[in-house]
């Protein structure tokens, strides 16, 4: 598959390939949009089976970042980078070469950590470029975004609860959390504080047991969590959990979680709507992590970050209203919500082919 064939009719502004024979660096940076600001998105390190697979992933992820930033009200575009390989190829020289590659884009793209990369990697990359966020707190960064992400998911749950039941209180709501890692564990704490009735599961028994012991929440098996009868199912582990096999098994009223790419395919968007389940798009519910790390771009203002995270509630309500009014799935309504802001407040580059 050629690059232009892969881009197709999408509106990516730039797709740039970085290659450093000395270190074996092979990276692709895709910038979907800089209409609202610089394109911020993490660097994913993954042993892609082919260059096509890496290209497809970076094109899809960079577009999603533009939508996430726009829907969250941030003055940021959307970009993403993929590095082909695994930890065995990594050295400081490797990340230095990558840092120079990021720097060559002169701030059009700002990187951060993502699947396969760490705050320590960002520290090394930052020796070559200033266009890095997501660094550790002791390294002049904003620190781990996971508690912020969890707070944003709670705001999205409150909005979904208002939409479904007419009150946004989570008190007494039964919430099933799949995956209690960095985000899921913080989410469970917030939910217990809000008097929700929490049930959880994790493939790591120690992660689940720690919360059960400390907070008295209930644990079920990882096989049963998706079909747990509840108000809200919260996927906080991997992507693709909403698919042709799992959707008929769900017994929840809404799905609101932090995991990226929860819908396995586009068809699953329709499928979950037809099942009568309210799906809050993941890129809206989990945007607080981006809000948190992007605050590193200026002097970190905790109040402003907090207000923006709170604003996820209003964004979800607007999206759900639009979905009802225009007879759209929430996912389609969220994409239009994001695209509308890019058109309205952006500099007019992204949708240069006219109205879509
Ligand atoms: P994490 O790796 O800390 O936690 C994931 C947890 O899920 C782990 O405890 C793991 O054991 C568990 N898990 C994996 N497979 C499972 C399964 N089949 N059933 C039950 N549990 C399972 O990751 P995280 O940082 O908490 O992120 C969770 C999700 O949220 C990811 O999809 C991530 O991309 C997304 N996300 C995270 C942030 C953030 O700020 N960390 C921001 C936006 C999106």
């Amino acid at each position: 598959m050629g690059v232009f064939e892969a881009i197709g009719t999408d509106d990516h502004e730039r797709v740039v390939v970085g290659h450093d024979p000395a270190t074996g660096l092979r990276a692709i940076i895709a910038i979907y949009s800089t209409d609202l600001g610089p394109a911020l998105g993490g660097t994913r390190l993954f042993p892609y089976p082919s260059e096509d697979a890496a290209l497809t992933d970076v094109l899809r992820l960079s577009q999603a970042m533009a939508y996430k930033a726009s829907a969250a009200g941030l003055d940021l575009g959307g970009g993403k980078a993929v590095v082909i390989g695994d930890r065995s190829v990594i050295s400081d020289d490797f990340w230095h070469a990558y840092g120079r590659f990021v720097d060559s884009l002169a701030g059009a793209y700002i990187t951060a950590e993502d699947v396969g990369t760490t705050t320590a990697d960002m520290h090394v990359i930052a020796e070559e470029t200033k266009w890095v966020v997501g660094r550790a707190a002791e390294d002049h960064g904003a620190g781990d975004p996971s508690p912020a992400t969890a707070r944003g998911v709670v705001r999205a749950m409150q909005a979904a609860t208002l939409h479904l039941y007419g009150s946004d209180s989570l008190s007494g709501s039964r919430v099933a959390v799949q995956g209690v890692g960095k985000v899921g564990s913080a989410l469970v704490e917030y939910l217990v504080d809000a008097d929700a009735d929490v049930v959880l599961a994790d493939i790591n028994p120690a992660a689940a047991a720690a919360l059960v012991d400390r907070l008295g929440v209930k644990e079920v098996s990882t096989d049963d969590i998706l079909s747990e009868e509840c108000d809200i199912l919260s996927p906080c582990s991997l992507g693709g959990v909403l698919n042709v096999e799992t959707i008929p098994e769900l017994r929840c009223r809404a799905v609101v979680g932090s995991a990226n790419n929860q819908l396995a395919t586009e068809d699953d968007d329709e499928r979950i709507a037809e099942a009568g389940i309210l799906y809050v798009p993941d890129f809206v519910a989990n945007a607080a992590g981006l809000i948190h790390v992007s605050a590193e771009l200026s002097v970190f203002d905790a109040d402003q970050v907090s207000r923006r995270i709170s604003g996820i509630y209003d964004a979800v309500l607007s999206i759900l209203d639009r979905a009802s009014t225009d007879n759209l799935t929430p996912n389609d309504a969220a994409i239009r919500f994001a695209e509308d802001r890019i058109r309205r407040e952006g500099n007019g580059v992204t949708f240069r082919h006219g109205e879509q």
Side-chain angles (χ1 to χ4, degrees):
M1 180 174 52
V3 176
F4 293 108
E5 190 188 344
I7 294 174
T9 55
D10 280 352
D11 288 271
H12 286 82
E13 277 177 32
R14 258 204 270 187
V15 180
V16 195
V17 175
H19 181 220
D20 181 58
T23 59
L25 172 73
R26 289 186 304 152
I28 310 171
I29 295 175
I31 296 178
Y32 180 72
S33 165
T34 54
D35 263 7
L36 291 169
L40 196 160
T43 295
R44 182 162 292 194
L45 171 68
F46 192 75
Y48 289 98
S50 66
E51 290 173 19
D52 281 357
L55 181 60
T56 303
D57 209 27
V58 79
L59 292 173
R60 185 179 56 89
L61 291 166
S62 55
Q63 184 182 44
M65 286 309 295
Y67 291 157
K68 186 183 293 204
S70 172
L74 295 167
D75 292 329
L76 290 172
K80 200 88 179 183
V82 295
V83 174
I84 302 170
D86 57 31
R87 299 290 328 166
S88 67
V89 301
I90 299 299
S91 62
D92 281 4
D93 286 348
F94 184 99
W95 284 136
H96 282 147
Y98 179 67
R100 290 192 294 277
F101 176 39
V102 171
D103 203 58
S104 71
L105 296 174
Y109 169 69
I110 301 171
T111 199
E113 68 175 292
D114 192 63
V115 173
T117 55
T118 65
T119 50
D121 299 331
M122 296 307 123
H123 177 82
V124 181
I125 292 165
E127 289 168 0
E128 297 285 349
T129 181
K130 63 180 178 179
W131 306 113
V132 186
V133 293
R135 289 155 68 182
E138 56 279 15
D139 191 22
H140 313 293
D144 181 7
S146 309
T149 303
R151 261 197 307 129
V153 172
V154 170
R155 293 298 283 154
M157 286 181 176
Q158 289 169 329
T161 302
L162 179 67
H163 186 84
L164 284 173
Y165 303 118
S167 155
D168 66 9
S169 170
L170 293 172
S171 176
S173 292
R174 187 163 172 79
V175 185
V177 182
Q178 183 199 39
V180 287
K182 294 190 293 293
V183 177
S185 59
L187 176 66
V188 168
E189 300 220 15
Y190 286 130
L191 290 170
V192 167
D193 275 354
D195 258 339
D197 175 17
V198 178
V199 53
L200 58 82
D202 197 293
I203 51 167
N204 173 359
L211 291 166
V212 170
D213 291 348
R214 194 156 52 84
L215 301 171
V217 290
K218 187 179 163 212
E219 180 185 359
V220 296
S221 79
T222 51
D223 288 341
D224 292 338
I225 191 77
L226 294 179
S227 55
E228 189 69 20
E229 188 159 2
C230 58
D231 297 291
I232 303 174
L233 170 69
S234 187
C236 295
S237 56
L238 306 174
V241 290
L242 304 174
N243 57 49
V244 65
E245 269 127 43
T246 58
I247 291 171
E249 303 297 318
L250 301 181
R251 290 196 295 153
C252 56
R253 296 288 312 277
V255 176
V256 189
S258 75
N260 283 310
N261 307 320
Q262 290 168 32
L263 298 166
T265 66
E266 281 178 19
D267 290 347
D268 295 310
D269 186 23
E270 283 293 337
R271 199 168 275 131
I272 197 161
E274 278 162 15
I277 296 168
L278 179 70
Y279 169 66
V280 174
D282 45 20
F283 69 86
V284 181
N286 71 16
L290 177 64
I291 294 172
H292 181 89
V293 296
S294 67
E296 276 178 46
L297 293 171
S298 49
V299 177
F300 191 88
D301 179 342
D303 288 341
Q304 190 187 55
V305 169
S306 194
R307 275 197 305 280
R308 286 202 163 127
I309 292 174
S310 245
I312 289 176
Y313 179 91
D314 298 314
V316 171
L317 288 181
S318 300
I319 287 161
L320 296 181
D321 279 354
R322 181 162 185 180
S324 303
T325 312
D326 295 353
N327 199 20
L328 297 168
T329 65
N331 205 51
D332 281 340
I335 289 171
R336 294 194 190 183
F337 178 83
E339 287 181 342
D340 281 354
R341 181 168 170 251
I342 295 172
R343 279 199 188 88
R344 202 173 56 241
E345 297 177 30
N347 60 22
V349 176
T350 304
F351 298 108
R352 56 203 169 282
H353 305 312
E355 289 301 303
Q356 300 186 345

